[in-house]
């Protein structure tokens, strides 16, 4: 003969009858019938080997053993509620930490907006923003110091890194206000012949990419200054020290605070805004959720670069 085992249904029926003092009310709360609740309680009594209730006419009173058993049942349910709380905490990333790296302009703009919106939905998550030049961002992510990076890629994927392209856009020409080329809607590489040029450092991906395009057009510029930060390049151009070519995200952000002309540039030099993940990164709900938040910000807040998006 098979021995019946105690189930959660038995315990739930007993617990609610104890709380309400009524099998009818327990049936209502459990969305079942009163005979079914009575059957579950009777089965539980057979399983535990003692009476849980004393029947006095139509009244149902807990037995002394039933009261003692109910105390242990309540302790078990407190434990279950604790597990529910733990699950909720995990589900909402409570107590989790996420370190994100980005170049200064992205960190101060797009990334900060994504962080603010993410924190509004997940206030218990601690997010840390690290800001640095492109090479520094790559190092932080590849070494595992940061779980996620945001970067502008001027060339192929970063070796040894997982890359997810968020959007592709074309570089623009940046010029001082009043420059002869600022009157045009579009600046060609050949138009920069002889111009003082603010460039990126030798050996960097943007420098090599832009130099190839200028050389192919036969445009010999005079490199007068170098910087590895788009914000600095724009500030130097706005100061009238030269012209430059760089990604539209940095240029249009800086134009809000600087006297700077931004024009379309040909031939097109496509660049990518991308998420960088460590080479051995595993699937993480937290990283995926934050990446989705970044995509949401891009879709809603980067309308300004639409003319230069692909």
């Amino acid at each position: 003969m098979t021995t019946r085992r105690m189930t959660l249904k038995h315990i739930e029926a007993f617990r609610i009858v104890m709380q309400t003092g009524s099998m009818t009310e327990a049936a209502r709360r459990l969305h079942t019938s009163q005979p079914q609740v009575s059957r579950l309680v009777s089965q539980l009594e057979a399983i535990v080997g003692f009476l849980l209730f004393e029947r006095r006419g139509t009244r149902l009173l807990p037995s002394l053993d039933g009261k003692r058993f109910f105390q242990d049942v309540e302790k078990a349910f407190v434990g279950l509620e604790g597990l529910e709380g733990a699950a909720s905490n995990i589900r909402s990333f409570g107590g989790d930490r996420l370190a994100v790296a980005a170049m200064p302009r992205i960190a101060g703009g797009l990334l900060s907006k994504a962080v603010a919106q993410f924190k509004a939905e997940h206030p218990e998550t601690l997010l840390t923003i690290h800001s640095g030049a492109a090479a520094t961002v790559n190092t932080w992510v590849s070494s595992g110091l940061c779980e996620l990076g945001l970067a502008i890629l001027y060339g192929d994927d970063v070796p040894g890194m997982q890359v997810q392209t968020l959007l592709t856009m074309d570089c623009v020409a940046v010029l001082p206000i009043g420059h002869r080329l600022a009157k045009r809607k579009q600046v060609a590489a050949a138009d920069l012949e002889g111009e003082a040029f603010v460039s990126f450092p030798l050996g960097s991906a943007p420098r090599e990419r832009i130099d190839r395009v200028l050389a192919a057009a036969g445009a010999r510029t005079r490199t007068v200054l170098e910087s590895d930060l788009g914000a600095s390049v724009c500030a130097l151009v706005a100061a009238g020290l030269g012209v430059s070519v760089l990604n539209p995200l940095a240029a249009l952000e800086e134009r809000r605070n600087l006297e700077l002309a931004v024009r379309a540039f040909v031939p097109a030099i496509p660049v990518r805004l991308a998420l960088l993940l460590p080479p051995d990164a595993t699937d993480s709900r937290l990283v995926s959720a934050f990446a989705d938040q970044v995509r949401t910000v891009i879709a809603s807040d980067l309308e300004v670069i639409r003319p230069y998006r692909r």
Side-chain angles (χ1 to χ4, degrees), residues 163-279:
V163 177
Q164 297 178 12
T165 299
L166 298 174
L167 64 89
T168 302
M169 48 199 167
D170 291 330
C171 285
V172 294
V174 288
L175 314 158
I177 294 295
H179 190 279
R180 64 180 181 86
L181 296 176
K183 299 177 181 179
R184 304 184 182 184
K185 292 183 178 180
Q186 178 177 281
V187 174
D191 297 331
L192 300 182
E193 170 68 27
E195 290 286 340
F197 199 82
V198 181
S199 191
F200 292 89
L202 278 171
S204 65
R207 174 65 175 269
E208 293 180 357
R209 187 81 177 276
I210 295 167
D211 280 357
R212 285 199 301 269
V213 170
L214 293 174
R220 293 166 295 179
T221 58
R222 296 180 292 109
T223 300
V224 293
L225 289 162
E226 296 177 348
S227 175
D228 59 356
L229 296 177
S232 296
V233 170
C234 290
L236 294 169
V237 170
L241 299 175
V243 302
S244 192
V245 174
L246 75 163
N247 76 82
L249 188 58
L252 294 172
E253 284 284 347
E254 294 303 324
R255 190 177 63 177
R256 296 178 180 180
N257 303 311
L258 297 172
E259 293 291 323
L260 197 68
V262 177
R263 299 292 182 264
F265 181 79
V266 290
I269 304 177
V271 294
R272 294 178 291 157
L273 174 63
L275 287 173
L276 305 181
L277 300 169

Side-chain angles (χ1 to χ4, degrees), residues 13-235:
F14 165 68
R15 182 172 184 251
I16 295 178
V17 172
M18 285 290 292
Q19 290 174 337
T20 63
S22 167
M23 288 197 180
T24 301
E25 177 61 18
R28 188 187 68 81
R29 294 191 184 186
L30 290 171
H31 306 288
T32 187
S33 65
Q34 186 272 334
Q36 175 63 9
V37 173
S38 179
R39 188 178 306 112
L40 287 169
V41 171
S42 295
Q43 289 174 353
L44 182 58
E45 288 178 323
I47 293 168
V48 299
F50 51 80
L51 289 178
L52 298 170
F53 297 96
E54 295 178 1
R55 282 80 171 172
R56 296 180 184 176
T58 58
R59 298 181 62 193
L60 194 66
L61 300 176
S63 67
L64 181 59
D65 289 335
K67 291 178 180 178
R68 292 175 59 190
F69 185 60
F70 179 66
Q71 291 176 352
D72 288 324
V73 166
E74 285 297 274
K75 291 178 183 177
F77 268 82
V78 168
L80 286 175
E81 289 171 357
L83 290 177
E84 290 177 352
S88 176
N89 200 38
I90 293 171
R91 186 167 56 250
S92 62
F93 311 116
D96 282 357
R97 302 172 66 96
L98 180 65
V100 186
M103 290 180 285
R105 173 44 60 194
I106 298 175
L110 184 155
L111 181 55
S112 293
K113 292 176 183 177
V115 166
Q117 293 179 18
F118 191 81
K119 283 288 287 184
E121 296 183 16
H122 308 287
E124 299 302 317
T125 304
L126 177 62
L127 289 103
T128 304
I129 297 176
H130 295 273
S131 177
T136 305
V137 170
N138 294 345
T139 299
W140 283 337
V141 176
S142 62
S143 66
L145 176 65
C146 295
E147 290 88 358
L148 188 70
L150 273 171
I152 299 292
L153 301 183
Y154 281 80
D156 298 329
D157 288 350
V158 182
M161 197 92 72
Q162 295 185 39
V163 177
Q164 297 178 12
T165 299
L166 298 174
L167 64 89
T168 302
M169 48 199 167
D170 291 330
C171 285
V172 294
V174 288
L175 314 158
I177 294 295
H179 190 279
R180 64 180 181 86
L181 296 176
K183 299 177 181 179
R184 304 184 182 184
K185 292 183 178 180
Q186 178 177 281
V187 174
D191 297 331
L192 300 182
E193 170 68 27
E195 290 286 340
F197 199 82
V198 181
S199 191
F200 292 89
L202 278 171
S204 65
R207 174 65 175 269
E208 293 180 357
R209 187 81 177 276
I210 295 167
D211 280 357
R212 285 199 301 269
V213 170
L214 293 174
R220 293 166 295 179
T221 58
R222 296 180 292 109
T223 300
V224 293
L225 289 162
E226 296 177 348
S227 175
D228 59 356
L229 296 177
S232 296
V233 170
C234 290

